[in-house]
Amino acid sequence: ALKGDAEKGKELFLGTCASCHGADAKGLPGLGQDLTTSAFVRQQTDAQLLEFIKKGRPATDPANTTGVDMPPKGGNPALTDQDLADIIAFIRTFNPHQP
């Protein structure tokens, strides 16, 4: 399993994910969910989150509550698995995994 670096992840998050999830990860109305309080995030392992972020979630997915596509890798195809692990490590600083 990849070990993420939260500091690197914060920079990557701000460059890719913040456009929908906000710089504070609290979500933007009509765009991205609040990741700081997300039960979905809490319940996923890091490996599950990595796969989820790689695939994204189309607006047509019944589990999509915003009606807006979450593109694979947040729309940044250049992100590597290590980059995603770093982003997940950053998200875990305010929303730890709780099975």
Side-chain angles (χ1 to χ4, degrees):
L2 293 170
K3 177 110 174 78
D5 179 324
E7 278 303 307
K8 287 181 185 168
K10 179 178 183 177
E11 201 172 302
L12 293 165
F13 182 92
L14 291 174
T16 300
C17 316
S19 55
C20 290
H21 293 287
D24 59 2
K26 292 189 183 289
L28 295 175
L31 290 173
Q33 289 290 355
D34 182 339
L35 300 178
T36 66
T37 61
S38 170
F40 175 80
V41 169
R42 256 191 323 280
Q43 292 163 359
Q44 302 297 303
T45 65
D46 290 357
Q48 288 170 319
L49 272 182
L50 187 116
E51 288 307 309
F52 173 77
I53 296 168
K54 283 169 70 167
K55 282 190 265 191
R57 179 177 274 166
T60 55
D61 184 320
N64 184 318
T65 58
T66 62
V68 176
D69 284 334
M70 180 184 147
K73 297 185 179 185
N76 184 350
L79 291 176
T80 65
D81 283 4
Q82 182 61 60
D83 292 335
L84 297 177
D86 293 343
I87 289 168
I88 291 165
F90 171 66
I91 292 168
R92 293 294 189 208
T93 64
F94 45 80
N95 192 342
H97 175 60
Q98 295 172 354

